[in-house]
Amino acid sequence: MAETGFESPVERRSFFSRGLAACAAIAGIGGLAAQAQSLPQWKPIRHAEDDWLNLPGKHRVVFDSATPDGFGLRLLFCGNYYVVHQDAYNLKNNELAAVLVARHHATPFAFNDVIWGKYGTILGQLANFIDPKTKQTPASNLYNAADYGALNNRGTTIDSLTKRGMRIAVCGMATRQLSDAMAASVGSNGGRVYAEVVANLVPNARLIPSGVIAVTRAQERGYSIIST
């Protein structure tokens, strides 16, 4: 067939079909975008029980710990958090909000030496934790022992961080379970031991309903999370 320089009717129909399909696709994308914009944005419900998380600070972070080793590492990381902000950003301690969550097997390290001195054997067994120096269950909270030097917190103690402003959220569910076990080990009552534990938390510690809930609530209130 001779070259005429004009498209055939079939070619024209193909061209228009492709064009219409492209327009429809673009319109579909635009429609979805408009629909997404019209949907209401999801916002978490606020509960008064979590208002303790409304801490002053230009930056907010929550350190989640569920094991003895994890608790020690979070102490180390939290220490770095304060030091670097001070040295590199010229921020003071009161300009930072830091919360350490102690839950599951990390919960006993929110208890002071009164509790560890009395119930250290059962706490060490329950948390699967021994003194790396003596190879025995400890009779004190080793993560609050200055210059101990044998743990992964590298000497960064609970007291040194709470003096900077760090808060500790203590899992209430785990505390009740631990209290029952401690009570059974000495022939006492779980409720009585629980009250004893609550009266002997480490400084700046707060008993909360659940460690898991505290971690999620903190993120809903603008906290970054460090969990590894």
Side-chain angles (χ1 to χ4, degrees):
M1 181 182 293
E3 183 67 43
T4 65
F6 296 96
E7 294 177 335
S8 70
V10 173
E11 290 173 325
R12 284 197 298 274
R13 284 195 297 271
S14 176
F15 172 80
F16 285 126
S17 297
R18 290 195 301 270
L20 289 172
C23 290
I26 293 171
I29 293 171
L32 289 174
Q35 182 180 4
Q37 290 177 355
S38 66
L39 292 175
Q41 285 191 332
W42 177 85
K43 289 184 179 180
I45 295 174
R46 294 293 177 92
H47 303 274
E49 294 87 344
D50 305 318
D51 285 346
W52 65 272
L53 284 163
N54 293 340
L55 303 176
K58 296 179 178 179
H59 300 284
R60 288 178 166 185
V61 63
V62 57
F63 297 89
D64 179 28
S65 63
T67 65
D69 282 349
F71 189 89
L73 284 176
R74 302 309 178 272
L75 292 177
L76 176 64
F77 298 157
C78 189
N80 293 343
Y81 177 78
Y82 280 108
V83 169
V84 173
H85 272 109
Q86 179 179 343
D87 293 348
Y89 295 89
N90 197 31
L91 292 177
K92 296 181 174 61
N93 293 333
N94 61 9
E95 295 179 288
L96 302 169
V99 174
L100 171 60
V101 175
R103 61 181 179 88
H104 198 51
H105 290 163
T107 306
F109 300 101
F111 308 158
N112 67 19
D113 285 349
V114 172
I115 300 301
W116 276 92
K118 189 172 180 178
Y119 304 104
T121 298
I122 185 64
L123 287 177
Q125 292 172 0
L126 292 170
N128 193 25
F129 178 77
I130 61 172
D131 185 329
K133 290 183 178 180
T134 66
K135 307 303 179 184
Q136 303 294 321
T137 53
S140 63
N141 188 337
L142 297 184
Y143 283 123
N144 215 15
D147 302 322
Y148 183 75
L151 296 169
N152 60 4
N153 61 324
R154 300 181 187 176
T156 304
T157 63
I158 297 168
D159 280 348
S160 70
L161 294 174
T162 54
K163 287 176 181 177
R164 287 179 176 266
M166 182 190 76
R167 308 293 181 91
I168 300 178
V170 190
C171 180
M173 292 184 68
T175 299
R176 286 199 177 276
Q177 293 172 356
L178 290 167
S179 296
D180 288 342
M182 287 186 282
S185 72
V186 296
S188 183
N189 174 272
R192 187 178 299 115
V193 173
Y194 176 79
E196 184 181 6
V197 170
V198 172
N200 285 282
L201 299 177
V202 296
N204 265 19
R206 179 188 185 92
L207 195 70
I208 44 92
S210 162
V212 170
I213 297 300
V215 173
T216 60
R217 293 290 194 269
Q219 291 176 87
E220 289 177 352
R221 293 181 182 237
Y223 284 74
S224 300
I225 181 172
I226 293 179
S227 59
T228 57

